[in-house]
Amino acid sequence: MVYRFSETYSGLSLERPKLDELRELVRNGDIDVVVVYCLDRLSRDPVHGVILTQELEKHHITLEAVTETVDSSEVGKLINYIRGFAAKLEAEKIRERTMRGKRERIKSGKLPAGRGILYGYDYDRELGINVANNDLETVKMIGQWLIQEGIFLNEACRRLMEKDIPAPKGGHRWSRGTVGRIMRNTAYAGKSYAGKTRMEGKKRVSCSEADHILIPDAVDCTAFTWEEWELIQRQLDRNRELSPRNQK
């Protein structure tokens, strides 16, 4: 079997879904040849590149690169290591330029590009804001259920599925966690923030509220007034207190 390593881009981490899949196939002896476009597609970190090539050699698996020759001699390994180190520096520079661009957009009052999609909105890259779409009516409807009827999130999910409304990620199965995250998001009441997370090494961590940056007018239309959003939060908190799990 020939395995084509077809991730969209290589990374600086060994924890990548496609790479995990490849290494599992290697350990199980299910493949004979691994084909990559070039060696830095396997990994941009030279240390990780050495680890991966050694794993392949250990299991007698051939590594082929489409655009370059794979030299397994000591000199060839050294050259590959240097290439990998250069690729790592390039990746870090790309990341820094990306972060600089995001910071500049935030300073100009625009949402940074590349953010996760906010249900009920489409991202307008030129304006740097979220523009409401038809799904925002669903958000408003859920909020009114909570304010007027005090329903639990499970009941909200049941109603949404009964109405055959598609879930944010496709399909028609809504989860309590999805609805809860939507109802807890201040962006639906007109308060959108940047800087909620940051990278520490290879991991993304949450920032303290003091580091959050408010971006005014980040949505063209809100689902709730701030007073309505606070009523929703109180109802969610009350529902949590009344949950049978917490009553125990």
Side-chain angles (χ1 to χ4, degrees):
M1 178 191 292
V2 176
Y3 186 91
R4 296 188 181 276
F5 193 72
S6 56
E7 279 192 305
T8 306
Y9 57 89
S10 61
L12 294 171
S13 171
L14 285 176
E15 298 175 359
R16 289 139 55 198
K18 282 291 184 180
L19 184 57
D20 290 341
E21 179 184 335
L22 169 62
R23 298 176 80 186
E24 181 66 22
L25 292 170
V26 168
R27 286 190 290 268
N28 293 338
D30 293 332
I31 56 177
D32 303 307
V33 180
V34 173
V35 179
V36 294
Y37 181 73
C38 57
L39 292 177
D40 67 9
R41 296 295 91 188
L42 194 60
S43 175
R44 285 184 178 269
D45 189 313
V47 175
H48 295 162
V50 171
I51 293 172
L52 294 171
T53 53
Q54 286 179 342
E55 285 186 10
L56 296 176
E57 289 176 1
K58 178 181 176 182
H59 292 85
H60 308 291
I61 296 170
T62 303
L63 174 62
E64 296 286 353
V66 175
T67 59
E68 57 190 282
T69 302
V70 180
D71 188 347
S72 59
S73 68
E74 293 304 316
V75 174
K77 290 178 181 178
L78 177 60
I79 293 173
N80 290 336
Y81 184 87
I82 295 172
R83 284 177 177 169
F85 187 74
K88 181 180 180 181
L89 292 178
E90 179 190 3
E92 290 173 348
K93 287 180 180 179
I94 292 172
R95 178 184 292 174
E96 175 56 31
R97 286 197 296 269
T98 301
M99 293 306 298
R100 192 185 309 132
K102 286 185 177 181
R103 287 192 292 268
E104 289 302 318
R105 288 182 70 84
I106 292 170
K107 286 180 181 178
S108 66
K110 296 181 178 181
L111 290 168
R115 292 166 59 89
I117 296 174
L118 184 64
Y119 180 72
Y121 295 93
D122 297 314
Y123 179 68
D124 187 313
R125 183 180 179 85
E126 183 177 349
L127 297 176
I129 65 172
N130 284 318
V131 179
N133 59 34
N134 293 334
D135 292 330
L136 193 62
E137 293 303 315
T138 300
V139 177
K140 294 178 181 179
M141 181 172 60
I142 299 170
Q144 292 308 310
W145 288 342
L146 288 164
I147 293 172
Q148 297 175 9
E149 302 178 51
I151 66 172
F152 284 78
L153 293 182
N154 283 339
E155 172 61 15
C157 293
R158 187 194 68 77
R159 293 185 184 186
L160 290 167
M161 290 185 285
E162 187 177 70
K163 291 177 177 291
D164 205 29
I165 296 174
K169 292 185 178 180
H172 293 273
R173 184 167 185 81
W174 286 77
S175 71
R176 184 173 58 184
T178 297
V179 177
R181 282 190 293 273
I182 291 173
M183 290 295 104
R184 292 288 191 184
N185 195 330
T186 58
Y188 292 104
K191 291 189 178 182
S192 300
Y193 294 90
K196 286 187 173 184
T197 62
R198 68 175 186 275
M199 294 300 297
E200 284 190 358
K202 299 171 184 175
K203 292 185 178 180
R204 183 170 293 278
V205 298
S206 298
C207 299
S208 65
E209 289 189 10
D211 295 325
H212 295 180
I213 303 170
L214 177 63
I215 302 179
D217 304 318
V219 297
D220 69 335
C221 177
T222 61
F224 315 112
T225 65
W226 188 250
E227 291 74 20
E228 287 175 328
W229 187 84
E230 288 183 323
L231 287 174
I232 292 170
Q233 305 317 298
R234 285 199 287 271
Q235 186 59 48
L236 291 173
D237 293 339
R238 183 172 180 273
N239 288 351
R240 182 190 298 166
E241 293 172 359
L242 294 176
S243 170
R245 181 187 308 168
N246 291 329
Q247 294 246 335
K248 291 180 182 178

